[in-house]
Amino acid sequence: MLSDSILIIFIALFTALLSEGFSWLLIYRTEKYKRLQAEIERQSKKIEKQKESLAETSDKNYKKKLERQEEKLKLNNRELSMVKMKSMFTISFAFMALLSMFNSM
């Protein structure tokens, strides 16, 4: 009973660490992820500054420019989500294989 509990805890810790390792390997260390993340942060700061100054002005061109910036931010967020989703499919497939292996134990 105790050995089964320890085995379950060990397997859970192992799979969590393996999942984080795969995520780092397939997502967070890639140049595309780093570039998109930096672009999103830069655009978010730029939009916040524009929104603060928007309260002072009522220029329609300025509002349209702000809307275009927000659209670019949405597109970058969508692209970042796609980068994450592709690797999550790979990770989920690997864990289904691990689950079937541990189920046969």
Side-chain angles (χ1 to χ4, degrees), residues 2-105:
L2 181 63
S3 64
D4 289 340
S5 299
I6 292 173
L7 179 64
I8 290 171
I9 291 172
F10 175 74
I11 290 172
L13 288 173
F14 174 73
T15 54
L17 290 174
L18 191 64
S19 172
E20 288 301 316
F22 278 152
S23 294
W24 178 81
L25 185 68
L26 297 174
I27 300 172
Y28 301 115
R29 75 175 185 98
T30 62
E31 189 62 37
K32 187 173 185 178
Y33 174 82
K34 291 177 184 178
R35 180 185 53 82
L36 284 171
Q37 190 68 26
E39 184 70 22
I40 287 171
E41 287 180 25
R42 187 183 61 78
Q43 284 180 343
S44 295
K45 289 178 184 177
K46 188 175 181 180
I47 288 173
E48 286 301 316
K49 287 180 184 177
Q50 287 179 348
K51 282 185 179 181
E52 289 173 3
S53 63
L54 180 65
E56 300 167 1
T57 63
S58 62
D59 187 18
K60 290 185 179 184
N61 289 332
Y62 196 71
K63 288 180 181 180
K64 287 182 182 179
K65 185 177 179 182
L66 179 62
E67 288 175 6
R68 283 194 301 266
Q69 291 292 329
E70 288 176 342
E71 283 298 317
K72 286 181 184 178
L73 181 62
K74 286 179 187 178
L75 288 173
N76 281 336
N77 275 326
R78 189 175 301 136
E79 192 174 341
L80 186 64
S81 296
M82 290 300 292
V83 168
K84 288 181 180 181
M85 185 179 67
K86 289 175 186 175
S87 65
M88 286 299 153
F89 279 131
T90 305
I91 291 170
S92 64
F93 180 72
F95 280 106
M96 282 186 230
L98 269 174
L99 182 64
S100 66
M101 183 185 76
F102 286 136
N103 195 22
S104 66
M105 291 178 100

